[in-house]
Amino acid sequence: NTTPIALYELNDLTDTCGVWSNATNVGSATFTSGKFGNALTLNGSSQWLTLSDTWTYSNNFSCSVWVYIHDFTPLSNYPMILGFWGSGSYSWFIELDGTVPEFNGYMYGSALRVGSTSTLALNTWYHIVFTTSSTEGKKFYLNGVLEGNNADTQDTIIQGSPTANYIGQSTWYPGVNDAFDGQIDQLRFYNSVL
């Protein structure tokens, strides 16, 4: 199924699928010219969005997003693109490793990492697709190319409903160190593997 269960075009705060709630703007994040129309623009220190919806995960889901980096390490070496936190210390997130630099996707709980291998550049749009499958494991695509593959198929997705969902900020320590400096556009969630 290639129909998203939630689509934040990030021209504004709305889920254009009309299923999830509008995002909440923290720190007066702005929406400026992006990859497609406008995009969420964050300053790397005091701006991010929160999502209040609960999402009961299956072990088959995908996330797709466009990302534009202004600074690899605004406050820390690992700025967060987005993250979902659930019960029992289970979470998943996509971060920027500014020390390499490259993107990482993590399933936290069993610490399953899968990520890109290309060296990233500033002020460039990148398309990320992060998938997890009960038969094929976890995969990370950058600009349509498979760059990361972890064959582990265990169900390490959030066991329960998320309680701290952020776009552009740390799942664990919001407002501390891991804010993202750049733009985020066309964020899509799927209850299927793309």
Side-chain angles (χ1 to χ4, degrees):
N1 184 358
T2 57
T3 301
I5 59 169
L7 166 56
Y8 292 90
E9 295 185 26
L10 297 173
N11 293 309
D12 52 30
L13 299 171
T14 60
D15 166 24
T16 55
C17 288
V19 178
W20 285 14
S21 302
N22 292 349
T24 299
N25 192 333
V26 177
S28 300
T30 59
F31 299 92
T32 60
S33 181
K35 181 66 176 177
F36 302 97
N38 284 341
L40 174 66
T41 302
L42 303 170
N43 64 9
S45 61
S46 61
Q47 297 174 331
W48 61 89
L49 302 184
T50 62
L51 300 175
S52 62
D53 290 87
T54 59
W55 181 12
T56 302
Y57 297 87
S58 68
N59 198 30
N60 297 283
F61 84 92
S62 303
C63 175
S64 168
V65 64
W66 286 88
V67 177
Y68 187 94
I69 308 164
H70 291 157
D71 187 343
F72 290 129
T73 56
L75 292 177
S76 80
N77 291 332
Y78 303 98
M80 196 77 72
I81 310 300
L82 62 102
F84 281 70
W85 183 268
S87 61
S89 296
Y90 281 83
S91 66
W92 72 270
F93 56 90
I94 298 173
E95 69 179 7
L96 168 64
D97 182 344
T99 64
V100 178
E102 64 187 15
F103 294 112
N104 290 320
Y106 268 99
M107 317 306 298
Y108 187 77
S110 62
L112 295 177
R113 177 199 172 276
V114 60
S116 64
T117 55
S118 295
T119 300
L120 304 175
L122 295 177
N123 305 313
T124 302
W125 280 106
Y126 293 100
H127 186 234
I128 295 170
V129 176
F130 178 46
T131 69
T132 182
S133 164
S134 59
T135 58
E136 298 181 6
K138 284 67 176 163
K139 296 185 178 183
F140 196 101
Y141 297 85
L142 186 66
N143 295 335
V145 177
L146 178 64
E147 292 208 355
N149 190 5
N150 187 319
D152 195 314
T153 59
Q154 64 178 305
D155 189 356
T156 57
I157 314 308
I158 298 176
Q159 297 180 353
S161 298
T163 57
N165 312 322
Y166 297 96
I167 300 173
Q169 181 52 274
S170 173
T171 304
W172 298 286
Y173 306 112
V176 180
N177 291 320
D178 297 330
F180 175 71
D181 187 353
Q183 293 181 282
I184 300 173
D185 205 354
Q186 298 292 314
L187 175 59
R188 302 166 187 250
F189 299 98
Y190 302 84
N191 267 341
S192 59
V193 180
L194 295 178

